[in-house]
Amino acid sequence: MTRATPAEAGEKAAAASEIRLLSFGDTALTVEFGSVIDAGLNARVLALDAALASEAPRGVLETVPTYRSLLVIFDPLVVDLPGLKTRIRALAASDIAVKRSARRWRVPVVYGGAFGMDLEATAAVHGLSAEELIGRHQGATYTVAMIGFMPGFAYLSGLDPALATPRRPEPRQLVPAQSVSIGGAQCAISSVEGPSGWHMLGRTPVRGFMPQREPVFLYEPGDAIRFERIAADEWPALDQRAAAGEPVAVSEP
Amino acid sequence: MGALLITACGPAISIQDRGRLGFQRFGVSPAGAIDPLSLAVANVLVGNPADSAAVELGVGVTRFVAEGSLLIALAGPDCQLEVEGRRIPQLSSVEVRDGETVIARAGARAVYAYLAVRGGVAGPREMGSRSQHRRSAIGGPALGPGSAVRGGDDTDGTPKRLIGNPFDDPGPIRILAGPQDDYFDPSMIARLCRGDYRIGALRDRMGLQLDGPPLQHRHGYNIVSDGIVEGAIQVPGNGRPIVLLRDRQTTGGYPKIATIISADIGRFAQLPSGTAVRLRLVTLDEAIEAARAMKSLIDGLDGKLAPLEAGLSSELLLSLNLIDGVTSAEAPAS
């Protein structure tokens, strides 16, 4: 992370002073940076997550970054809680918090048709052609803001605000794994089959979660993602390779 | 190596150990034994480390047939184990032999019991744990009639008894306020602790609902999802509190008014539906003291084992009487 200008640093310090450390039972703290979905808040969450990971404070068992907060889970009999709180406040206020060298993924997607049954309707909502929507959707760089809901289900920030689409009034009972979808101002790549009220734009052969594979999880919070359109006839071969354990997504330095 | 072949069981049966640490950032539920104390007792009775994998039994009767010989133990606040129609005293292990029928149930005053097998119950180890998480299909296929429960290779243990009863804590379930107690008027925490709530019928390993007066939110009830720990009492729009348990989702979007302390969550989750719940607000220091007491209780289990043959000492008779009134290890089933 680059050093901030004095004005930015001042702004950041002011914002940092507003973080709240909320006691969550006797085994965790919720470090709350704000209450809304915001890429800036998420970046600070991920920076604190990375900074804590590099220090590995005694007794901290795991951390769970979300859009706007970091859950820090610890062993209450081992942790130095006052020390941890002080350290968290200092790291959150620091403008040189080390950011993990995030990986950049190029993720192939088949848009539309049976792969993205809501593509046409979503484009129509925004007065766009399907091609225009695809262009805007794959034109953005996304950040894995958090992983939740199910193993490997990646919530992405970075959606073109013009593509924000309210959720479907009636959720679908079952949408396929590896769907690429829009819900409100968010974009997601699903990992397992399940219900969803989001709009299905396409599907990727990439498995974000595969228990039999090493690594089990492809994406981590903080990773950057770009979607790359592929043709439907490229699907079978890629899907077969992905099912055999190949990442298929391209990782760039 | 022996095995127990399941011939009949309820739906709430699974393999559990201490759970999966370190993967909540990837959306993976920790899973793990709902009641770690009971898991520890069952394991220690067969000579396993306290957090080894065991079979968690929910409501219903589970029947097994033994293939080969195994040393087993069933533990929980109110469980029953029968081998070939013989009722096995609580808090003791027993050797079962090839072809014998084993019947296990969690009991009437508890929901879960743990069946430990010497050597630990075998199962695929995924992400550092053998705990099964049904919803995400982690930890191997669901157990059911026809499944074989296998133990480790070491079958040389001898049956033991535990002196004293680790399940005798009748105190209220202790809670800490937060993390979103500011979404509620302070009177709502008081309402929670007034004794008007019962364990609801809606329950599973993911969470359970409390029946009682609805809790009112002060600033609405939608928050942007954040991470959740076990014991969190979340309050959705209808005001009916839900306590999150081991199989919970890793993140959630309802305010959490309070959290059951780590030392009491197992005891709480063992309460049968319909039971009145006494909740008491405590300080973080009290919660940590309780966590310390729970750890020393579990760490001390090993030192409270007695060989079953040494059987009829007055101390043992006393402990048997205190627990369930059975005074002979070979007492016939009532």
Side-chain angles (χ1 to χ4, degrees):
Chain A
M1 191 174 275
T2 52
R3 183 166 283 278
T5 65
E8 283 167 353
E11 204 170 275
K12 193 161 185 182
S17 67
E18 290 157 23
I19 70 161
R20 298 202 300 165
L21 298 188
L22 307 170
S23 235
F24 200 164
D26 53 324
T27 62
L29 281 175
T30 299
V31 184
E32 192 185 78
F33 286 81
S35 56
V36 294
I37 292 181
D38 173 86
L41 287 180
N42 185 238
R44 292 178 57 206
V45 170
L46 296 174
L48 175 62
D49 182 47
L52 272 183
S54 67
E55 294 194 1
R58 203 164 48 93
V60 171
L61 301 174
E62 60 180 311
T63 54
V64 187
T66 71
Y67 278 110
R68 63 185 187 91
S69 64
L70 184 70
L71 179 67
V72 181
I73 301 173
F74 49 76
D75 179 341
L77 303 184
V78 175
V79 76
D80 162 23
L81 196 50
L84 178 64
K85 285 180 172 178
T86 305
R87 196 64 197 126
I88 285 173
R89 286 198 182 281
L91 289 172
S94 156
D95 64 329
I96 50 167
V98 190
K99 194 158 178 356
R100 183 192 302 111
S101 53
R103 289 163 304 173
R104 307 177 63 83
W105 297 101
R106 272 191 290 134
V107 175
V109 180
V110 182
Y111 284 98
F115 294 89
M117 58 278 221
D118 298 321
L119 176 72
E120 298 280 347
T122 309
V125 166
H126 299 290
L128 299 171
S129 69
E131 287 302 315
E132 287 169 330
L133 185 141
I134 293 168
R136 283 178 179 240
H137 185 260
Q138 69 164 4
T141 299
Y142 300 84
T143 302
V144 178
M146 63 180 264
I147 296 181
F149 176 56
M150 288 298 271
F153 186 104
Y155 291 88
L156 311 181
S157 64
L159 182 72
D160 181 340
L163 300 185
T165 316
R167 289 172 183 74
R168 292 166 54 82
E170 281 292 320
R172 289 202 174 85
Q173 280 313 299
L174 210 59
V175 300
Q178 303 133 240
S179 289
V180 175
S181 60
I182 290 177
Q186 306 169 65
C187 182
I189 312 174
S190 74
S191 54
V192 292
E193 201 175 57
S196 174
W198 290 30
H199 305 275
M200 303 295 135
L201 302 188
R203 209 176 158 212
T204 175
V206 177
R207 270 69 169 171
F209 163 60
M210 207 170 167
Q212 312 82 349
R213 182 188 61 196
E214 188 55 49
V216 173
F217 300 96
L218 215 52
Y219 317 122
E220 234 193 295
D223 285 0
I225 300 231
R226 287 184 69 90
F227 293 116
E228 195 170 69
R229 184 183 194 178
I230 57 167
D233 61 11
E234 294 178 69
W235 173 273
L238 276 176
D239 187 53
Q240 206 170 17
R241 282 167 51 198
E246 265 188 67
V248 179
V250 180
S251 175
E252 300 170 331
Chain B
M1 189 170 74
L4 289 172
L5 189 70
I6 299 175
T7 56
C9 65
I13 180 170
S14 62
I15 296 172
Q16 300 296 337
D17 56 18
R18 69 193 295 222
R20 210 159 261 116
L21 291 178
F23 294 91
Q24 293 187 64
R25 62 187 295 107
F26 295 111
V28 178
S29 171
I34 288 274
D35 178 4
L37 176 60
S38 296
L39 174 75
V41 171
N43 273 317
V44 165
L45 280 169
V46 295
N48 295 340
D51 54 9
S52 304
V55 177
E56 183 182 273
L57 311 174
V59 287
V61 178
T62 310
R63 290 169 185 271
F64 306 87
V65 174
E67 293 177 344
S69 299
L70 315 89
L71 184 69
I72 66 170
L74 185 73
D78 181 34
C79 58
Q80 291 140 29
L81 180 66
E82 287 174 23
V83 177
E84 285 292 290
R86 274 180 296 136
R87 179 157 169 213
I88 307 305
Q90 294 194 20
L91 302 174
S92 64
S93 45
V94 59
E95 187 164 4
V96 295
R97 296 182 183 86
D98 192 43
E100 288 188 328
T101 300
V102 176
I103 298 175
R105 46 172 85 83
R109 283 172 288 124
V111 178
Y112 300 98
Y114 295 83
L115 185 90
V117 178
R118 178 151 178 99
V121 167
R125 196 174 157 87
E126 291 183 48
M127 291 171 261
S129 166
R130 293 195 165 82
S131 289
Q132 297 186 318
H133 187 250
R134 215 52 89 64
R135 283 168 50 89
S136 54
I138 293 174
L143 298 181
S147 303
V149 174
R150 293 179 199 288
D153 294 328
D154 168 17
T155 53
D156 283 346
T158 52
K160 299 262 173 33
R161 271 207 76 94
L162 196 73
I163 307 299
N165 183 355
F167 302 117
D168 60 0
D169 183 352
I173 302 297
R174 291 162 285 186
I175 61 173
L176 288 164
Q180 280 98 26
D181 47 318
D182 58 343
Y183 273 69
F184 303 87
D185 190 87
S187 66
M188 291 298 127
I189 296 238
R191 176 177 290 183
L192 204 51
C193 294
R194 209 151 48 206
D196 298 336
Y197 291 89
R198 289 178 183 276
I199 304 280
L202 287 177
R203 68 183 302 162
D204 59 16
R205 283 183 43 88
M206 195 171 168
L208 67 79
Q209 194 171 62
L210 292 177
D211 290 341
L215 296 171
Q216 284 142 21
H217 302 79
R218 197 152 64 174
H219 316 294
Y221 54 86
N222 281 303
I223 64 173
V224 175
S225 292
D226 62 2
I228 314 176
V229 301
E230 185 183 24
I233 305 177
Q234 70 173 22
V235 186
N238 62 12
R240 306 183 74 173
I242 293 170
V243 182
L244 295 160
L245 302 174
R246 288 278 180 155
D247 279 3
R248 68 189 175 276
Q249 291 180 195
T250 54
T251 58
Y254 294 118
K256 280 80 69 182
I257 185 172
T259 306
I260 295 177
I261 70 170
S262 62
D264 286 354
I265 186 65
R267 188 159 60 90
F268 167 81
Q270 283 282 18
L271 298 173
S273 296
T275 310
V277 186
R278 285 184 301 141
L279 296 172
R280 185 161 73 83
L281 190 66
V282 295
T283 64
L284 183 57
D285 283 347
E286 287 174 86
I288 292 170
E289 200 35 61
R292 186 168 288 121
M294 176 56 82
K295 183 175 189 304
S296 75
L297 176 62
I298 288 177
D299 290 349
L301 289 172
D302 247 339
K304 292 185 175 166
L305 292 176
L308 205 57
E309 297 77 37
L312 298 175
S313 71
S314 56
E315 186 184 12
L316 185 54
L317 280 174
L318 194 59
S319 75
L320 290 173
N321 281 319
L322 281 172
I323 297 158
D324 57 10
V326 177
T327 53
S328 161
E330 300 287 315
S334 50

